[in-house]
Amino acid sequence: MHRYLARRTAAAIPLVLGIATIVFFVISLAPGDPTQVLVSPGMRPEVIAQVRANFGLDQPLPVRYVRWLGALLTGDLGYSYSHGRPVLEVIGQILPNTLLLSAAALLVAFAAGVLIGIVQSLRQYSITDQALSVLALFFYSMPSFWLALMLILVFALFARNVWEWPIYFPPSGTRSIEYATLGPFERIADRIRYMTLPVTSLALVLAAGIARYTRGSMLEVIRQDYVRTARAKGLPESRVVFKHALRNALIPVITLLGLYLPVLFSGTVFIETVFGWPGMGKTIVDAIGTRDYPLVMGTSLIFGAMVVLGNLIADMLYAVVDPRIRYE
C-alpha cells in the first residue's frame, strides 16, 4: 500500500506542476499588469518602471517562469501583490475556510446521495422511486451558482423581510458579529447557520449524481446470490441491505469521490464568490482580476494537490470497503 501511494504521489507531481505552468502562461499573456493596482494617475514613467522592476515584471516571461519554478522548489510561493504578504501566509489564512466548506458539502452530498439511492433501489419503479428520480435530475442539471442565488432569495431575503420567518439564514460571511461573545455550543450553531446555504448549494448538485450511481449499483448487487442467501437465512432486512449489499455497492460510488473533487473545487469558486465566503475560490477570482500572479499560482497548486490527495483517499477506501482489493 505504501509503495503504491508513493508511486501515485510521484506521478502526480508533474501533473500538478503542468497545471500550474499552464495557468502561469495563460494569466501572464492576458491583457493587464499587476502594477496597474499600485500605480496612481500622474505617476512618472520612471517610478512605474521601478515598481515593475521591484516585482520582477520587467524580465521576459520565460525568465519569470524559471525564477518562479526555482522558488517553488525551495518551498517559496512568492509574494502577493494585492495582499502585500507572502502567498503562503495568505493561503494559510483562507485554506481552512475552503476545507471546512468542501468537507461539509462532500459529507452531506455522499450521505444524502447514498441514502436516496438505497431508498430508490428498494422501491424500484414505485412512485417514490420516480419522484426521487425526477428530483435528482432537476438538481443535477441545475447550475450551482443559480441554485445559490435562489436559496439566498428564498431563505435569506424573503424569509426575513417578506415572510418574517423566525429562522432565516445569512446570505454572506462565515460568522456573526457577536461570535466572540458566544459560548461553545452557540458558536457551533452560529457557524452552521452561516454554512447552511453555501453547503446546500454545493451538496444538492453532487448528491443528485451520487444517488443515481448508488441506485444503479444497489439494483445490481441486491440481485446477487449471496444477498438472496442472506435473506433466506432470516437475517433482518436492515442487515442485509447495509452490511451485505451496500458494502459491495459502494465500490463504484467511491470512484465518484475522486471524480467529484474537481467539480467540488470549481463549484466553490462560484459559491464562495456568491456568498462572500473568504476561501480559496473567492481569493483566486480576486487574484485573477488584479493579475496577482504568485497568488494565482499558489492557489492553483493547492487545488491540484487537493484533487490528487482526494484520488489517493478514494484508492485507500477501496481496500477498506472490499478487503479483497490489495495494492502490493
Side-chain angles (χ1 to χ4, degrees), residues 96-156:
N97 292 329
T98 294
L99 291 179
L100 177 63
L101 183 63
S102 302
L106 204 61
L107 180 62
V108 172
F110 271 87
V114 170
L115 182 61
I116 293 173
I118 293 174
V119 173
Q120 287 187 272
S121 64
L122 298 179
R123 301 288 187 270
Q124 186 181 13
Y125 302 134
S126 65
I127 297 179
T128 302
D129 180 27
Q130 295 176 6
L132 290 176
S133 296
V134 172
L135 193 63
L137 181 61
F138 174 75
F139 284 111
Y140 188 73
S141 58
M142 184 180 299
S144 58
F145 69 90
W146 185 87
L147 177 60
L149 293 175
M150 294 302 102
L151 291 177
I152 291 175
L153 185 66
V154 174
F155 295 101

Side-chain angles (χ1 to χ4, degrees), residues 133-305:
S133 296
V134 172
L135 193 63
L137 181 61
F138 174 75
F139 284 111
Y140 188 73
S141 58
M142 184 180 299
S144 58
F145 69 90
W146 185 87
L147 177 60
L149 293 175
M150 294 302 102
L151 291 177
I152 291 175
L153 185 66
V154 174
F155 295 101
L157 180 61
F158 287 172
R160 182 180 184 181
N161 301 326
V162 180
W163 302 321
E164 297 182 353
W165 287 357
I167 298 178
Y168 66 92
F169 299 100
S172 63
T174 59
R175 64 188 70 179
S176 61
I177 299 176
E178 60 273 8
Y179 180 82
T181 62
L182 301 176
F185 294 104
E186 293 174 331
R187 289 187 177 186
I188 295 175
D190 185 75
R191 292 302 298 269
I192 291 176
R193 284 186 64 242
Y194 277 82
M195 289 177 57
T196 298
L197 293 185
V199 168
T200 303
S201 303
L202 289 171
L204 280 178
V205 178
L206 298 180
I210 295 171
R212 300 301 297 169
Y213 274 90
T214 304
R215 178 184 182 273
S217 184
M218 281 290 294
L219 288 176
E220 182 178 351
V221 170
I222 59 178
R223 295 188 177 95
Q224 299 295 324
D225 293 338
Y226 66 88
V227 176
R228 286 195 292 265
T229 302
R231 284 176 172 156
K233 289 181 178 180
L235 294 178
E237 184 66 15
S238 59
R239 187 175 181 183
V240 173
V241 171
F242 289 100
K243 183 176 181 180
H244 294 275
L246 180 60
R247 189 166 185 175
N248 290 278
L250 282 179
I251 294 178
V253 177
I254 289 175
T255 307
L256 294 179
L257 176 63
L259 296 177
Y260 273 15
L261 276 175
V263 178
L264 179 64
F265 293 145
S266 63
T268 57
V269 173
F270 298 104
I271 297 302
E272 289 179 359
T273 303
V274 171
F275 287 98
W277 186 272
M280 298 272 289
K282 186 176 185 302
T283 300
I284 196 172
V285 170
D286 295 339
I288 292 174
T290 58
R291 300 294 188 270
D292 192 342
Y293 303 144
L295 188 55
V296 174
M297 297 301 100
T299 49
S300 300
L301 279 173
I302 297 299
F303 271 135

Side-chain angles (χ1 to χ4, degrees), residues 58-133:
D58 59 333
Q59 300 294 325
L61 184 60
V63 175
R64 282 159 36 202
Y65 171 71
V66 172
R67 286 184 175 179
W68 171 79
L69 189 60
L72 177 64
L73 297 178
T74 63
D76 181 14
L77 296 182
Y79 194 84
S80 173
Y81 309 146
S82 57
H83 289 261
R85 292 183 294 167
V87 172
L88 283 176
E89 185 177 330
V90 176
I91 293 178
Q93 183 179 359
I94 62 177
L95 182 58
N97 292 329
T98 294
L99 291 179
L100 177 63
L101 183 63
S102 302
L106 204 61
L107 180 62
V108 172
F110 271 87
V114 170
L115 182 61
I116 293 173
I118 293 174
V119 173
Q120 287 187 272
S121 64
L122 298 179
R123 301 288 187 270
Q124 186 181 13
Y125 302 134
S126 65
I127 297 179
T128 302
D129 180 27
Q130 295 176 6
L132 290 176
S133 296

